[in-house]
C-alpha cells in the first residue's frame, strides 16, 4: 500500500476539481451549475479506474458502487458534497469524496461481504435554491417536493435546473435507498475550525453535529431622497437591519455555545443618495442543544419585529432550515476510534460546528465522521488548506476502518 502515492494523487485531484468554477479567478460551484459537468466527468473516470460501477441519480448525486459478495448485500456508504459556497476553498466536501475514492482504489482487488457506495453529493451548501442537504435528503427518502418550484437568482426553478442537467424530477423517489439497506455511513471532512490545529492533532472523531436554523428576514420601509427627507419622517430599512445585526452578535456572545451569523445583507435600491427602502438579510443560528437554538431564533425574531414596529417597517420572515443536532452512532464511532488508534493516532472526540450530509444520513443508518485539521482554522475561503501528512493519516484510518467494517456480520 503506497499511502504517499495515494496522498499525492488526492491533492492533485483537489487542484483539478477546483478548476471547475462558475466564476473566473475564484471557486464557486453551486448545485448543477455548468462546471459541475466537469467535476462529474473527472469523478466518473476516476471512479471507473478504481473499479467502481458509476451512476448518477435523479438529483445529480454521482455514485460509485463497489459490489459485495452477498447477493443482496447491505451497502456501506461514504462520501461528501461537491458543491461549494461562493469563493470557496478546495477541500470542503471534495476531500471526503477523494479519500473514499483512494481507499476503494486501494481495496479494488478485495471483495467484502457488503457493497460500498461512494457518493459525491450534488447539493449540501444550499446556496442556489436555499435547500441545504437536498441531495442527501433524496437518498434518504425525505426530499421535499415543494422545493421543485423554488427559483434561483436567475428565476430558474429547481425542477427546470434538473431537466437542464438532463435529469428527471419524476425519478427522484427512485433515488432513495430501500429501508434497512444502508449498513452505515462514514463522512471524512476538514474540521473547518481551529480546534485540531490548536491541539497539534491531525484527526478528530465527531461525536455529534450541531443543530442549525436558517432564515431570511426582510425589512420594508420607504426609499426617499437622502437630502430632502427629514430624519424624523424616514422609514429607513437599513438602519433597522444594522441595529438587528448588532443584537444578533450580542446575543451570541452572551449565550454559551451559541453561534449566530448574518451572512448576507442586500440593500435596495442601494444608492449613495437614497434612503434604503428594503433590506433582505440571512440569519444562521447554531447550538448543540436544540432547545437553546429554538429559543434564540424566537428571541431574535421578536427583536426584528420590535425594531420594525418602532420604525413603521414591514417584516417578512422566510425560514429555510431547522436541522436538529445529530449525535453520531456510538458503536460505529467507537469502531472508527479503533481504526484511529490502530493507525497510531490520538483519539480526540469533538462536536462539529458545521453541518454535513452525515446529519441527514443519520436518519436512515448509523453515522460517524472523521475530521482533518484545518491549518489556520480557515474554511469557506480560498485560504482553506490541508496538510499532506494529515491526508495520508486519514487515508490510513479509512482503509483500516473499511476493511473491518465491510465484513462485519449484521
Ligand atoms: O454551513 C455549514 O455548516 C456547511 O458548510 N454547509
Ligand atoms: Mn461548507
Ligand atoms: Mn462541507
Amino acid at each position: 500500500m503506497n499511502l504517499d502515492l495515494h496522498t499525492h494523487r488526492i491533492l492533485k485531484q483537489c487542484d483539478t476539481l477546483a478548476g471547475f468554477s462558475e466564476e473566473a479567478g475564484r471557486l464557486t460551484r453551486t448545485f448543477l451549475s455548468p462546471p459541475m459537468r466537469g467535476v462529474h466527468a473527472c469523478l466518473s473516470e476516476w471512479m471507473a479506474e478504481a473499479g467502481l460501477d458509476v451512476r448518477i441519480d435523479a438529483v445529480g448525486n454521482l455514485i460509485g458502487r463497489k459490489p459485495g459478495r452477498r447477493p443482496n448485500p447491505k451497502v456501506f456508504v461514504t462520501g461528501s458534497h461537491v458543491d461549494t459556497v461562493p469563493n470557496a476553498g478546495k477541500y470542503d466536501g471534495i476531500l471526503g469524496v477523494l479519500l473514499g475514492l483512494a481507499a476503494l482504489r486501494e481495496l479494488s482487488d478485495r471483495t467484502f461481504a457488503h457493497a460500498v457506495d461512494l457518493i459525491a453529493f450534488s447539493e449540501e451548501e444550499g446556496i442556489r435554491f436555499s435547500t441545504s442537504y437536498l441531495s442527501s435528503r433524496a437518498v434518504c427518502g425525505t426530499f421535499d417536493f415543494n422545493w421543485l418550484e423554488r427559483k434561483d437568482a436567475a428565476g430558474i426553478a429547481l425542477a427546470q435546473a434538473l431537466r437542464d442537467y438532463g435529469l428527471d424530477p419524476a425519478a427522484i423517489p427512485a433515488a432513495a435507498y430501500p429501508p434497512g439497506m444502508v449498513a452505515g455511513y462514514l463522512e471524512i471532512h476538514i474540521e473547518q475550525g481551529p480546534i485540531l490545529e490548536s491541539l497539534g492533532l491531525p484527526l478528530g472523531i465527531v461525536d455529534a453535529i450541531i443543530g442549525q436554523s436558517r432564515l431570511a428576514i426582510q425589512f420594508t420601509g420607504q426609499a426617499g431622497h437622502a437630502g430632502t427627507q427629514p430624519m424624523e419622517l424616514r422609514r429607513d430599512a437599513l438602519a433597522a437591519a444594522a441595529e438587528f445585526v448588532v443584537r444578533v452578535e450580542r446575543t451570541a456572545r452572551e449565550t454559551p455555545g451559541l453561534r449566530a451569523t448574518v451572512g448576507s445583507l442586500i440593500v435596495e435600491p442601494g444608492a449613495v443618495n437614497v434612503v434604503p427602502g428594503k433590506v433582505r438579510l440571512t440569519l444562521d443560528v447554531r447550538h448543540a442543544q436544540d432547545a437553546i437554538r429554538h429559543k434564540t431564533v424566537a428571541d431574535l425574531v421578536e427583536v426584528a419585529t420590535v425594531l420594525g414596529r418602532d420604525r413603521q417597517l414591514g417584516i417578512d420572515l422566510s425560514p429555510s432550515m431547522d436541522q436538529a443536532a445529530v449525535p453520531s452512532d456510538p458503536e460505529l464511532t467507537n469502531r472508527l476510534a479503533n481504526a484511529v488508534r490502530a493507525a497510531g493516532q490520538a483519539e480526540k472526540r469533538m462536536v462539529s460546528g458545521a453541518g454535513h450530509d452525515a446529519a441527514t444520513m443519520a436518519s436512515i443508518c448509523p453515522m460517524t465522521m472523521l475530521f482533518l485539521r484545518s491549518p489556520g482554522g480557515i474554511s469557506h475561503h480560498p485560504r482553506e488548506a490541508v496538510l499532506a501528512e494529515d491526508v495520508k493519516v486519514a487515508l490510513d484510518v479509512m482503509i483500516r476502518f473499511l476493511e473491518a467494517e465491510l465484513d462485519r456480520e449484521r
Side-chain angles (χ1 to χ4, degrees), residues 213-276:
S213 299
R214 292 185 189 176
L215 57 154
I217 300 177
Q218 183 166 293
F219 292 95
T220 305
Q222 176 61 56
H225 194 298
T228 58
Q229 198 172 46
M231 294 308 289
E232 67 276 12
L233 297 181
R234 293 184 178 194
R235 293 195 295 127
D236 183 333
L238 182 54
E243 198 167 339
F244 179 72
V245 172
V246 171
R247 294 287 293 276
V248 167
E249 184 192 44
R250 188 183 312 147
T251 301
R253 287 181 183 277
E254 290 168 356
T255 312
L258 189 90
R259 291 171 188 156
T261 311
V262 175
S264 73
L265 186 146
I266 299 166
V267 183
E268 290 184 15
V272 62
N273 59 350
V274 181
V275 175

Side-chain angles (χ1 to χ4, degrees), residues 38-371:
V39 171
H40 282 165
C42 287
L43 285 175
S44 299
E45 182 186 331
W46 298 337
M47 285 181 175
E49 284 170 0
L52 304 183
D53 303 326
V54 185
R55 64 186 174 90
I56 189 166
D57 73 9
V59 293
N61 294 320
L62 190 71
I63 303 165
R65 166 148 313 170
K66 175 179 176 61
R69 265 198 308 274
R70 296 203 178 126
N72 293 317
K74 278 186 175 272
V75 174
F76 191 87
V77 180
T78 188
S80 194
H81 62 96
V82 293
D83 64 314
T84 76
V85 295
N87 198 23
K90 295 191 282 192
Y91 305 102
D92 177 4
I94 280 283
L95 182 65
V97 177
L98 295 173
L99 272 161
L101 180 59
L104 293 177
R105 177 195 294 267
E106 177 60 30
L107 297 171
S108 58
D109 58 350
R110 306 264 304 275
T111 305
F112 298 93
H114 300 304
V116 187
D117 274 353
L118 172 64
I119 303 184
F121 286 112
S122 55
E123 162 58 72
E124 187 268 350
E125 300 286 5
I127 300 297
R128 182 174 177 188
F129 291 100
S130 298
T131 54
S132 294
Y133 314 117
L134 169 159
S135 55
S136 44
R137 297 251 320 241
V139 303
C140 292
T142 57
F143 181 87
D144 180 347
F145 286 84
N146 293 318
W147 287 339
L148 291 172
E149 284 95 60
R150 282 250 179 112
K151 292 194 178 355
D152 66 6
I156 299 170
L158 195 156
Q160 189 55 50
L162 291 168
R163 284 189 285 269
D164 291 348
Y165 205 83
L167 304 172
D168 175 9
I172 291 174
Y177 283 110
M181 182 173 183
V182 181
Y185 178 73
L186 166 66
E187 182 162 356
I188 302 186
H189 202 286
I190 50 174
E191 176 203 337
Q192 301 181 289
I195 294 168
L196 289 174
E197 182 177 50
S198 69
L199 298 171
L201 294 175
L203 303 178
I205 298 164
V206 175
D207 275 332
I209 299 173
I210 203 167
Q212 56 180 294
S213 299
R214 292 185 189 176
L215 57 154
I217 300 177
Q218 183 166 293
F219 292 95
T220 305
Q222 176 61 56
H225 194 298
T228 58
Q229 198 172 46
M231 294 308 289
E232 67 276 12
L233 297 181
R234 293 184 178 194
R235 293 195 295 127
D236 183 333
L238 182 54
E243 198 167 339
F244 179 72
V245 172
V246 171
R247 294 287 293 276
V248 167
E249 184 192 44
R250 188 183 312 147
T251 301
R253 287 181 183 277
E254 290 168 356
T255 312
L258 189 90
R259 291 171 188 156
T261 311
V262 175
S264 73
L265 186 146
I266 299 166
V267 183
E268 290 184 15
V272 62
N273 59 350
V274 181
V275 175
K278 188 185 290 183
V279 167
R280 184 174 175 82
L281 58 82
T282 58
L283 179 62
D284 176 316
V285 177
R286 308 191 190 201
H287 198 280
Q289 293 174 47
D290 292 338
I292 295 175
R293 172 170 57 88
H294 287 141
K295 180 181 182 314
T296 302
V297 169
D299 291 349
L300 290 175
V301 163
E302 178 61 15
V303 165
T305 304
V306 169
L307 284 171
R309 190 180 58 221
D310 292 355
R311 296 168 180 265
Q312 293 89 48
L313 304 179
I315 291 277
D316 292 292
L317 303 170
S318 311
S320 63
M321 182 197 285
D322 180 351
Q323 170 86 39
V326 178
S328 302
D329 179 82
E331 287 164 33
L332 187 66
T333 304
N334 287 338
R335 295 199 294 272
L336 176 63
N338 293 342
V340 168
R341 282 194 303 276
Q345 298 302 321
E347 180 185 343
K348 166 60 185 165
R349 300 284 184 122
M350 59 199 295
V351 172
S352 172
H356 299 285
D357 289 306
T360 309
M361 292 300 288
S363 66
I364 63 166
C365 70
M367 167 283 283
T368 194
M369 288 193 76
L370 182 70
F371 273 174

